[in-house]
Amino acid sequence: MNERVQAHRIVVVGGGAGGLELVTRLGDKLGKRGRAHVTLVDRSPTHIWKPLLHEVAAGSMDPNTHQLEYAAQASWHHFEFQQGEMTGVDRERKTVAVGACFDADGVELLPARELPYDTLVLAIGSVTHFFGVPGAAEHAIALDTTAQAERFRRRLVSACVRAQNGLGRSHEDGRPRVDIAIIGGGATGVELSAELRNTAQVLNAYGLHRLDPRRDVHISVIEAGPRLLPALSERVSSETAKLLRKLDVNVLVGERVTEVTGEAVLTASGKRVEADLTVWAAGITAPPVLRTLGLPVSKQGAILVDASLRSEGDPDIFAFGDCASAPWPEKQTTVPPRAQAAHQQASFLLRALQDRLAGRPLPAFHFKDLGSLVSLGHFDAVGSLMGGLIGGSMFIEGMLARLMYASLYRMHVSALHGPLRMMVDTVAHWLRSKTSPRVKLH
Ligand SMILES: Cc1cc2nc3c(=O)[nH]c(=O)nc-3n(C[C@H](O)[C@H](O)[C@H](O)COP(=O)(O)OP(=O)(O)OC[C@H]3O[C@@H](n4cnc5c(N)ncnc54)[C@H](O)[C@@H]3O)c2cc1C
């Protein structure tokens, strides 16, 4: 029997903000020395950090230059990559069922498989929740994947080009117009609205001169709650609303969406918001497959885990990131679904899984809320820094907030490649930006 088969088998499903950091570091720590056989399963062949998706949707980021090939990362960091979607887990036989993979023409590339594990870690993130609103799933675009963000960008560019050429909607005086509705005034909706204003300006500079970027591109953010950014402080919320209004973004609060059609968004108060394009950024839920595993789950279907991020129903299964409901005892709630939580939990599990292999008791995870930042694209950023960094909560905005926001992504890149390659990557992207269009057109 070869050494690899005898090594403890750790299978991590989901190579996102948390999962890819975890397998990279487990591979370096355990896989390299043969102390464990580490496998990553992801439905996609490439990784992109999910908080960048609104920039991909607005065209201000080309996903091809920011995505990472899992197969290459696996070879650099001593883990195995298996592409395919997890469709189930046989907990008796300790195997993960992975679906077949197909190429763009529908030709099968990889058959359905079963992967054995000794320790299984679930990190499959979340999916958009449409709350059963009629027409939402059909007519609104969600931002769960790069493919969805790219689809939105293509439709956005098409709508603007059509309007420029008199083929779209027009004002009463005949001027062209493009209407974009964003449902959900959380961080994703707010950040996307600012990015889109920038995109409209760039498209105008790139030749769509008939389309006035402020007057003719109408951007509405529709929030059901009484204010934008309900999860953040009143101050961050009110400053953000002011900044968005300065960007001529139409902010509607207290408006519950009741229907989405191909042309408009309708609300409970009877408002009709015209929309050539609609984005749904109003909530997330757990991926449905998690309910099929026979493990205890929360109301939203996330895996209930204990203080060590271990499933309450199976000692060999761990879960973290958006797909887990992890206790946050200090606040008597659960850890929020954020990239910074997934990042901290990945670092925690790196230690905890080594303890498990060594037969030591598992430590407890403590989430440190470092604050929340909202980027308004090239225009501004606002947010609050919390606890661990400054011993309290502090409102920040402007250049400092923009730098702190950018540093979140840099921390992720550093966890994947180390600090030196992160710096080289930062410089490379800056140089590339000097010769690339500011909005991806094709
Ligand atoms: C537009 C946008 C902006 C955001 N901005 C911020 C921000 O500024 N700050 C912040 O802290 N958070 C932000 N978030 C939230 C943040 O992205 C998530 O909390 C974070 O990505 C969760 O990490 P994760 O590892 O749990 O899941 P993800 O990063 O979503 O990764 C899940 C992975 O699992 C894979 N997968 C899914 N299902 C399966 C399956 N069945 N089988 C195999 N693979 C599967 C996916 O392909 C993906 O690679 C934002 C989210 C969005 C959408």
Side-chain angles (χ1 to χ4, degrees):
M1 209 182 264
N2 79 30
E3 206 183 307
R4 283 198 132 186
V5 175
Q6 287 170 333
H8 187 95
R9 292 160 303 186
I10 302 175
V11 175
V12 177
V13 186
L20 187 55
E21 292 188 10
L22 178 62
V23 283
T24 298
R25 297 173 70 190
L26 280 175
D28 288 341
K29 268 267 178 247
L30 304 177
K32 189 174 179 182
R33 296 182 186 87
R35 286 171 54 207
H37 183 70
V38 182
T39 303
L40 171 68
V41 177
D42 201 286
R43 61 187 175 193
S44 164
T46 55
H47 161 82
I48 193 154
W49 197 55
K50 202 172 178 185
L52 299 179
L53 287 183
H54 67 281
E55 294 181 41
V56 174
S60 40
M61 172 167 292
D62 181 348
N64 298 320
T65 65
H66 281 266
Q67 66 194 5
L68 176 61
E69 299 275 351
Y70 287 122
Q73 184 76 354
S75 115
W76 296 328
H77 294 278
H78 318 283
F79 64 89
E80 178 185 335
F81 173 57
Q82 289 273 348
Q83 191 188 341
E85 180 157 334
M86 177 184 81
T87 52
V89 174
D90 184 333
R91 288 170 44 218
E92 286 285 307
R93 292 171 49 235
K94 291 213 207 168
T95 56
V96 182
V98 179
C101 284
F102 302 87
D103 70 11
D105 299 319
V107 177
E108 190 175 80
L109 294 176
L110 275 167
R113 287 139 287 160
E114 284 196 333
L115 304 176
Y117 66 83
D118 297 305
T119 299
L120 174 62
V121 184
L122 301 172
I124 60 172
S126 52
V127 294
T128 292
H129 194 2
F130 291 106
F131 299 99
V133 170
E138 293 86 336
H139 300 295
I141 297 181
L143 294 184
D144 286 333
T145 63
T146 311
Q148 289 168 333
E150 277 282 84
R151 180 168 156 241
F152 177 83
R153 179 193 59 79
R154 284 193 300 272
R155 286 188 53 191
L156 170 71
V157 173
S158 294
C160 291
V161 171
R162 281 171 58 79
Q164 157 81 13
N165 294 312
L167 296 171
R169 296 182 204 229
S170 55
H171 293 277
E172 276 169 13
D173 63 3
R175 289 189 61 82
R177 62 182 286 171
V178 174
D179 295 283
I180 304 166
I182 300 168
I183 302 170
T188 303
V190 161
E191 292 182 341
L192 178 64
S193 67
E195 284 292 338
L196 290 175
R197 178 58 73 221
N198 176 58
T199 301
Q201 292 178 351
V202 175
L203 290 178
N204 177 267
Y206 285 0
L208 303 191
H209 302 309
R210 281 191 66 212
L211 206 58
D212 183 297
R214 295 257 173 160
R215 226 172 10 151
D216 302 331
V217 179
H218 299 248
I219 303 168
S220 301
V221 176
I222 308 165
E223 165 60 38
R227 61 177 175 90
L228 290 179
L229 302 171
L232 305 190
S233 71
E234 291 257 4
R235 168 110 193 253
V236 174
S237 167
S238 62
E239 290 299 323
T240 303
K242 260 193 245 161
L243 289 166
L244 287 190
R245 288 195 173 104
K246 269 198 213 158
L247 295 177
D248 290 318
V249 172
N250 179 25
V251 176
L252 299 165
V253 291
E255 293 289 350
R256 189 170 54 80
V257 170
T258 51
E259 190 178 348
V260 181
T261 72
E263 293 82 38
V265 174
L266 313 180
T267 73
S269 72
K271 282 209 170 64
R272 177 186 164 93
V273 180
E274 297 300 325
D276 296 290
L277 289 156
T278 303
V279 177
W280 188 274
I284 55 169
T285 189
V289 66
L290 296 177
R291 287 190 191 272
T292 69
L293 309 185
L295 295 170
V297 292
S298 67
K299 253 198 231 157
Q300 287 75 32
I303 303 289
L304 287 176
V305 294
D306 64 16
S308 306
L309 306 184
R310 178 143 69 171
S311 159
E312 288 184 358
D314 190 325
D316 297 325
I317 300 183
F318 293 73
F320 77 109
D322 285 8
C323 77
S325 176
W328 186 7
E330 292 82 358
K331 298 274 176 184
Q332 294 175 344
T333 180
T334 49
V335 174
R338 294 208 221 128
Q340 62 163 295
H343 172 75
Q344 290 177 29
Q345 290 175 329
S347 302
F348 166 83
L349 279 175
L350 175 69
R351 291 195 314 275
L353 293 182
Q354 290 178 75
D355 286 340
R356 173 173 157 84
L357 258 66
R360 293 188 289 265
L362 295 182
F365 171 72
H366 291 280
F367 175 57
K368 289 190 196 71
D369 186 358
L370 303 178
S372 297
L373 294 163
V374 180
S375 162
L376 302 178
H378 296 264
F379 304 104
D380 212 335
V382 287
S384 56
L385 296 186
M386 307 267 293
L389 279 181
I390 45 141
S393 163
M394 182 177 85
F395 176 81
I396 60 167
E397 61 186 327
M399 186 54 88
L400 177 62
R402 284 177 70 176
L403 284 173
M404 297 296 297
Y405 183 87
S407 72
L408 287 178
Y409 179 49
R410 295 289 145 223
M411 272 163 59
H412 178 64
V413 177
S414 183
L416 299 183
H417 301 304
L420 188 65
R421 270 188 72 181
M422 180 272 286
M423 282 190 270
V424 173
D425 179 80
T426 307
V427 174
H429 278 109
W430 180 78
L431 288 173
R432 185 187 279 264
S433 72
K434 302 289 147 203
T435 53
S436 304
R438 279 159 53 215
V439 166
K440 182 170 185 260
L441 300 172
H442 301 289

